[in-house]
Amino acid sequence: MTAAVLQLLSVGASAQDLGSAARKLVHTREACSRDVAEGHARCHAHIVLDRNGEDLVTAAPSGLSPASLRSAYKITGNGSAATVIAVVDAYHYANAEADLAVYRSQFGLPACTKANGCFKQIDQNGGTNYPGTNKGWNQEAALDLDMVSAMCPSCSIVFVEATSTSSANLAKAVNTAAALPGVRAISNSYGGSESGSTSYESAYDHLNIAVVVSSGDSGYGVQFPASSPHVIAVGGTSLKTSTNSRGWVETAWSGAGSGCSTVYAKPSWQLDTGCAKRTVADVSAVADPNTGVAVYAPKKFGTKSGWQVYGGTSVAAPVIAGIYGVNGGPVTYGSDPYSHTNSIFDVTSGSNGSCGGSYLCTSGTGYDGPTGLGTPNGTAAF
């Protein structure tokens, strides 16, 4: 990293400051290993590192705040306690409620606790027989809970813990979440191979619930469950401040997943012609760690938590899930953004890999793979 970036990190600079100092120069690590067996998934969170190659932990928040995210995506509503957003992750996060309380207090968001009925934490069967723990997935869960809170601070949250990273257990957790009263959106920040996934696809098919899935963090290429035709697949962008009328500018993040499914049929609302099957993604939001978000999460070592900076489409998915919560209206799978493109910011530049220069990996005017239709301009498209 350059001296300018290191200085900014040392004083807890904002993500937009990091981006303007040196684009694509922050070093990161992935919260979850890529070495997963077929029939399993990995989370998509990236964690910014310090000059020593350790997770960057600062005394005060660094990275995009709820106010910045809401400004960028023109979100003015706060949602309702009657609207429930479910977060599905693997393994048990014992400090979830306490860590979430620190994040929400720091940014002036209303308390969301088990005691006041806002926060609920259950296992994949709906009970409290919690699974074992895993630090990487705990960090992922902290990110998801914080981003849902940032976008829909008055929504209720249910955190559903799958027993393991197996597609079967994650699918069970999604079905459990969907069966809970009041659930309008389910955030899923993980993915794996499409191979063998048809056995679990039905778990992501819930009319009137926005099942939101991150598109991946390895660049051009398709993962499941983002490739399900019944979900809202969320790609990723780089987001930084601008002097334009919006006040922000976005380009496609190089790590965002996208492409053409080899398994699943194209839903009727997708009209792109370069992919005969399901195309990923549908919409997008910030994901680049260089323009990352502030998260209060477990540290890599020890039992304590601290302020860190995260990226990955694991940021984008819960951001979009939170916006669905603010909207609060009916959901018809992923079709709603396609009929409200005037309420989406088109992202027209950037690429996530090599695909012969086609829209499947290259952003341009209108629909493209890395960013889908674009990013939220208010809640009307959701």
Side-chain angles (χ1 to χ4, degrees):
M1 283 183 271
T2 66
V5 172
L6 292 173
Q7 182 179 14
L8 288 168
L9 291 176
S10 69
V11 299
S14 68
Q16 52 264 49
D17 289 335
L18 295 179
S20 62
R23 299 286 294 153
K24 298 184 179 179
L25 286 180
V26 299
H27 295 291
T28 68
R29 71 171 181 87
E30 296 162 326
C32 297
S33 170
R34 294 193 185 199
D35 185 20
V36 295
E38 185 172 314
H40 286 253
R42 59 182 295 270
C43 72
H44 292 144
H46 284 234
I47 302 169
V48 173
L49 305 179
D50 64 19
R51 68 186 72 194
N52 298 314
E54 299 297 336
D55 293 0
L56 173 68
V57 180
T58 54
S62 177
L64 292 168
S65 68
S68 293
L69 292 168
R70 291 167 65 83
S71 167
Y73 297 126
K74 310 307 176 191
I75 306 303
T76 56
N78 293 320
S80 164
T83 299
V84 180
I85 301 174
V87 170
V88 171
D89 283 302
Y91 302 112
H92 180 48
Y93 178 13
N95 292 329
E97 182 181 14
D99 286 351
L100 180 62
V102 174
Y103 180 87
R104 293 178 70 108
S105 175
Q106 172 69 38
F107 293 113
L109 307 180
C112 187
T113 66
K114 294 173 182 175
N116 69 14
C118 173
F119 183 72
K120 186 176 184 179
Q121 188 171 5
I122 58 177
D123 64 32
Q124 68 180 39
N125 298 308
T128 55
N129 184 24
Y130 298 125
T133 191
N134 177 282
K135 185 63 67 72
W137 277 89
N138 284 181
Q139 292 175 315
E140 170 64 57
L143 166 61
D144 296 342
L145 295 169
D146 288 358
M147 291 306 99
V148 164
S149 297
M151 305 316 295
C152 195
S154 293
C155 284
S156 297
I157 301 172
V158 58
F159 175 36
V160 187
E161 299 179 339
T163 301
S164 74
T165 62
S166 75
S167 298
N169 284 327
L170 289 163
K172 173 62 176 175
V174 173
N175 275 331
T176 293
L180 297 170
V183 169
R184 185 174 189 273
I186 304 173
S187 180
N188 306 272
S189 292
Y190 56 82
S193 171
E194 284 195 293
S195 177
S197 64
T198 55
S199 299
Y200 313 107
E201 196 279 328
S202 64
Y204 298 87
D205 179 359
H206 296 286
L207 185 61
N208 284 325
I209 296 176
V211 183
V212 181
V213 180
S214 56
S215 69
D217 61 353
S218 303
Y220 178 59
V222 174
Q223 296 186 19
F224 177 84
S227 62
S228 163
H230 297 109
V231 309
I232 298 94
V234 185
T237 68
S238 300
L239 171 70
K240 58 181 180 177
T241 55
S242 171
T243 57
N244 63 18
S245 58
R246 177 186 172 190
W248 300 84
V249 64
E250 288 178 277
T251 58
W253 177 48
S254 61
S258 73
C260 185
S261 172
T262 62
V263 176
Y264 296 104
K266 183 179 290 295
S268 61
W269 48 86
Q270 274 198 329
L271 303 177
D272 59 299
T273 59
C275 171
K277 293 185 181 293
R278 163 69 154 133
T279 313
V280 175
D282 295 308
V283 294
S284 53
V286 62
D288 186 351
N290 290 277
T291 62
V293 298
V295 177
Y296 192 79
K299 298 178 183 179
K300 184 177 181 180
F301 301 108
T303 59
K304 294 183 179 180
S305 296
W307 289 106
Q308 301 171 61
V309 179
Y310 282 48
T313 53
S314 280
V315 176
V319 164
I320 296 297
I323 293 173
Y324 271 100
V326 175
N327 180 300
V331 180
T332 307
Y333 299 116
S335 69
D336 299 300
Y338 289 85
S339 59
H340 295 86
T341 55
N342 60 333
S343 296
I344 291 177
F345 292 117
D346 193 10
V347 181
T348 60
S349 64
S351 175
N352 65 351
S354 177
C355 62
S358 86
Y359 73 95
L360 294 175
C361 71
T362 307
S363 288
T365 302
Y367 179 84
D368 57 70
T371 67
L373 298 166
T375 60
N377 180 5
T379 64
F382 303 90

